[in-house]
């Protein structure tokens, strides 16, 4: 990893100018979907739709009149090696570990009824000081639900992953080793081109042993998410009986109202989302917000077909401790690799600028180069990780600048089912980090093999 640190330092210098991004996150799987249950293989009932791919025999298995079964699996091995994690302030700043997971699934359709089951075997090797709930759950049930199709309404109950919009607030946590699931119910109503999803769920808390993942008794989520052409509107309610903000423990009841505009016009695309939050925490009134913007353009006629993206986010932080108001935004259950492969800071009290560029090198190989810069939105609040844990309190620090990051990824789509990828990232600390603790540059090397069908 020492060579990786030197290489990362060179990468940081090379990307100090604006560089710009790919259409999908570097951590996202290359084929199929992350939730798996939203893949529709019913078209294979007609032999005219077969293309001879070996996987077709597993994707549509006829079982009789109006009954069929779809199966598949993911086998992923991912290694991550850190130098100076959390700028040297982590419990194990020089950590190197291996994540292994297998996620087979079976999707049974009988008329209007459906049963979906997806177990998981997730293990971690070498995590220091010990493996946590996102590293290892051993053998357990990741998803298992029943569903009934009532025409314009589909009702589902059981354990399931959720992916809403661009996963700013509700995501699958696909990047880490153990994805996030929920126990509860979901109803989807389709009206013309509009779709409304109603949810009432509780988060699943992974346990350290086999078959011990349990429904959370502290965190609950409910709400409605409406999608229309180029527009999403939603309300999400959230309750946490064991929340912690600003060194205070208490009950959190938070309401989020969001609006997202997205679309494509020729080579251009956009994704702009705003969220307002209100509610109560430990006797304080919640007033928080975020605005996220993403503008991208593809250049299909240029060599290597580059694709550029520029993202800019503002996420509120607490403006004044002890004033009876909590302005710290809560991202609830966001995607696991929020700003890239290396994401030591999360979407709370932050201003971020993230240009990226992606290019197809040919032969199934693609590469991306990215730069990130981060500032505190409020000087009175600190820096948080992705789950929302405070990792650097504000203290007496006056600086806003958290630091800058550079990241390079390389991926090879060996065939439609198998992808190999690697990434190299570096995060150099800024003024705020220098004023509040250890100040070493974080370096991370990631390598992954992902086979899915």
């Amino acid at each position: 990893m020492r060579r990786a640190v030197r290489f990362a330092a060179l990468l940081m210098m090379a990307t100090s100018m604006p560089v710009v991004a790919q259409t999908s996150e570097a951590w996202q799987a290359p084929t199929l979907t992350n939730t798996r249950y939203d893949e529709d293989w019913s078209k294979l009932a007609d032999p005219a739709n077969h293309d001879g791919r070996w996987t077709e025999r597993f994707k549509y298995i006829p079982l009789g009149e109006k009954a069929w079964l779809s199966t598949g699996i993911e086998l992923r091995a991912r290694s991550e090696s850190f130098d100076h994690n959390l700028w040297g302030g982590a419990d194990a700043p020089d950590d190197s570990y291996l994540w292994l997971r297998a996620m087979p699934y079976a999707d049974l359709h009988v008329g209007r009824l459906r049963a979906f089951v997806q177990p998981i075997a997730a293990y971690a090797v070498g995590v220091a000081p010990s493996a946590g709930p996102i590293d290892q759950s051993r053998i357990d049930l990741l998803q298992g639900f029943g569903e009934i199709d009532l025409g314009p309404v589909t009702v589902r109950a059981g354990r399931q992953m959720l992916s809403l919009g661009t996963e700013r607030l509700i995501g699958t946590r696909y990047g880490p080793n153990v994805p996030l699931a929920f126990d509860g119910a979901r109803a989807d109503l389709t009206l013309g081109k509009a779709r409304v999803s109603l949810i009432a769920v509780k988060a699943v808390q992974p346990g350290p042993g086999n078959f011990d993942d349990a429904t959370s008794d502290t965190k609950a989520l409910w709400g409605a998410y409406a999608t229309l052409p180029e527009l999403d509107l939603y309300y999400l309610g959230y309750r946490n009986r064991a929340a912690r903000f600003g060194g205070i423990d208490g009950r959190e009841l938070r309401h989020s109202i969001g609006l997202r505009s997205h679309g494509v016009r020729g080579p251009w695309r956009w994704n702009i989302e705003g969220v307002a939050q209100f509610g109560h925490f430990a006797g304080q009134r919640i007033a928080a917000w975020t605005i996220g913007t993403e503008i991208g353009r593809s250049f299909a006629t240029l060599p290597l077909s580059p694709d550029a993206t520029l993202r800019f986010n503002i996420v509120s932080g607490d403006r004044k401790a002890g004033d009876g108001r909590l302005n710290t935004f809560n991202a609830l259950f966001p995607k696991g690799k929020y700003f890239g492969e290396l994401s030591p800071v999360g979407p709370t009290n932050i201003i971020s600028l993230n240009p990226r560029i992606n290019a197809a090198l040919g032969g199934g190989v693609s590469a991306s180069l990215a730069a990130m810069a981060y500032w505190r939105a409020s000087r009175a609040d600190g820096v948080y990780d992705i789950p929302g844990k405070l990792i650097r309190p504000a203290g007496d620090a006056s600086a806003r600048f958290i630091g800058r990051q550079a990241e390079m990824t390389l991926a090879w789509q060996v065939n439609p089912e198998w992808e190999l990828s690697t990434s190299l990232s570096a995060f150099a600390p800024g003024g705020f980090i220098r004023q509040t603790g250890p100040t070493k540059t974080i370096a991370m090397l990631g390598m992954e093999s992902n086979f899915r069908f």
Side-chain angles (χ1 to χ4, degrees), residues 78-139:
R78 177 175 177 81
S79 69
E80 295 185 346
S81 299
F82 287 89
D83 276 350
H84 313 309
N85 196 12
L86 289 184
W87 307 282
D91 292 338
D94 298 328
D95 197 8
S96 183
Y97 51 83
L98 175 65
W99 283 338
L100 299 168
R101 77 181 181 200
M103 300 191 302
Y105 78 87
D107 187 8
L108 175 64
H109 296 255
V110 181
R112 293 181 176 272
L113 300 178
R114 179 188 189 191
F116 185 94
V117 176
Q118 184 178 37
I120 183 174
Y123 293 87
V125 180
V127 177
S130 62
I134 68 167
D135 301 307
Q136 179 170 274
S137 69
R138 302 185 188 274
I139 300 174

Side-chain angles (χ1 to χ4, degrees), residues 208 397 435:
Q435 291 176 359

